[in-house]
Amino acid sequence: MHGDIEKKIEGLHPGTAIAGAVVISFMMVLIPFIMFLHSSAYVTVKQIKIGSQLSAANLNGSYDVTSPVNAIDIANYEATLKQKLTTINNNADFNQNDISNQTLGLPAN
Amino acid sequence: MKIQRIALLVLALVTIMLPIEAGAQSVPASDSILSKAVSDQQLTLSADSKTAVVTRCVALQAQLSQLSSKTAATIHLYLDTYGSTINDLQAFELRLARQGVDGSEIDLLIGKMQGAMDSLTISGSTYTGTLNAVASVDCVNQPEEFVAGIVLARAQLSQLQKSANQIEQLLIDAPSSTFNQIIKRLSA
């Protein structure tokens, strides 16, 4: 029995063995890759990438990146930023009441 | 003999491919998220509660689906606003660097903002994903999953609000944490 196996191994063509090893290695790389592509982690990565692209400095032409900064420029920007923050309302936009049992008309837990 | 070897190779490939397919399909299943939520919350509904949930379920699913879309759009708007703020800050940083003034506080603020934006994106994606999962459950056969999903979404909404507050707070604190030092440096 043991001798038969050895004979079979000896009979295996080296090229076939190498090709088999390559195919199996390829599959082993492919398994996690396909799983990653189908995972929610990949979806999140894509969303983060979009967010990064939004935040990435696309400073070509639309922003002044050359003139010297004065203290007054920073102070003015503070005011602009403050104004910009008035458009943000976390409590209203992400309101817990939106999905409370009472709002949804569900029985209390 | 040669045919046997080929058959063995094909069998080995099929054996490898089957778990790939199964694994690939099982990862994003929203059903499993809700089933896990039911299990984690050890949720059981009384007959009355079940009837009430089944009755309201379909109408609520449409409402939750709309809420998911609205929330996703809001998060996009937030990211857009914070993204443009980062652009402004980077422009300042470049201008300061050109005139040889240290603007490292801005760099630090940008780094914190980017981290907070990632957190906002992830928590928003998780929350809207759960809402979508709840919006697609079988109302008649899965009322427990529906309720457990709502409870889960509430916890995720809380995390989303925390992430949104975090990034807003960074900008509220920016005058004292960042701008004042630079103003002092420029005025010196």
Side-chain angles (χ1 to χ4, degrees):
Chain A
M1 184 70 179
H2 187 68
D4 286 348
I5 293 169
E6 278 183 350
K7 271 183 187 173
K8 277 181 186 172
I9 292 170
E10 280 171 9
L12 191 65
H13 192 275
T16 311
I18 291 168
V22 168
V23 168
I24 290 170
S25 307
F26 179 71
M27 289 298 166
M28 288 175 78
V29 171
L30 202 65
I31 292 169
F33 183 67
I34 292 176
M35 287 180 77
F36 173 69
L37 289 183
H38 284 76
S39 69
S40 55
Y42 182 56
V43 175
T44 308
V45 166
K46 280 200 286 190
Q47 282 171 332
I48 288 179
K49 199 177 167 191
I50 292 167
S52 301
Q53 280 169 347
L54 281 172
S55 66
N58 182 14
L59 302 175
N60 300 331
S62 55
Y63 289 87
D64 173 14
V65 292
T66 52
S67 64
V69 182
N70 298 314
I72 191 72
D73 296 332
I74 303 281
N76 287 341
Y77 186 68
E78 271 186 32
T80 310
L81 195 57
K82 206 172 176 182
Q83 182 63 33
K84 205 185 251 188
L85 285 176
T86 59
T87 62
I88 301 282
N89 189 347
N90 298 330
N91 292 329
D93 289 333
F94 308 121
N95 193 342
Q96 285 283 343
N97 282 334
D98 286 347
I99 51 169
S100 70
N101 281 346
Q102 199 178 1
T103 309
L104 298 176
L106 291 172
N109 291 331
Chain B
M1 196 65 181
K2 203 170 183 179
I3 293 170
Q4 273 183 332
R5 280 184 195 162
I6 292 168
L8 272 173
L9 191 63
V10 169
L11 190 66
L13 288 178
V14 169
T15 313
I16 292 169
M17 288 302 286
L18 279 177
I20 297 174
E21 184 62 20
Q25 283 179 354
S26 68
V27 175
S30 56
D31 265 6
S32 64
I33 296 170
L34 299 182
S35 303
K36 189 175 178 299
V38 173
S39 164
D40 289 348
Q41 295 167 28
Q42 297 179 330
L43 187 82
T44 48
L45 295 175
S46 66
D48 286 348
S49 297
K50 205 175 271 190
T51 309
V53 171
V54 171
T55 310
R56 297 271 305 129
C57 182
V58 174
L60 288 178
Q61 281 187 320
Q63 194 178 319
L64 292 172
S65 186
Q66 278 180 352
L67 180 64
S68 170
S69 305
K70 188 185 139 204
T71 307
T74 305
I75 291 168
H76 197 275
L77 191 71
Y78 274 39
L79 292 175
D80 210 7
T81 303
Y82 294 133
S84 76
T85 305
I86 286 181
N87 286 347
D88 293 338
L89 292 172
Q90 282 178 328
F92 271 123
E93 199 183 8
L94 281 172
R95 289 165 69 190
L96 288 168
R98 275 177 180 267
Q99 64 195 97
V101 176
D102 175 25
S104 52
E105 290 90 352
I106 290 183
D107 202 33
L108 190 63
L109 178 62
I110 289 171
K112 284 180 182 174
M113 282 184 70
Q114 281 170 337
M117 282 170 73
D118 287 351
S119 171
L120 182 70
T121 307
I122 292 168
S123 52
S125 169
T126 312
Y127 172 62
T128 53
T130 301
L131 287 183
N132 289 334
V134 173
S136 60
V137 296
D138 179 348
C139 284
V140 178
N141 297 315
Q142 297 178 303
E144 284 89 359
E145 275 81 353
F146 182 84
V147 173
I150 299 275
V151 173
L152 180 64
R154 249 175 242 143
Q156 290 168 345
L157 177 59
S158 172
Q159 182 57 46
L160 173 61
Q161 200 175 35
K162 208 180 282 181
S163 302
N165 287 339
Q166 187 192 357
I167 191 164
E168 188 185 11
Q169 196 59 46
L170 280 172
L171 293 180
I172 290 170
D173 294 342
S176 58
S177 71
T178 307
F179 298 137
N180 288 353
Q181 282 92 321
I182 294 170
I183 289 173
K184 272 184 203 163
R185 218 169 284 147
L186 288 168
S187 307

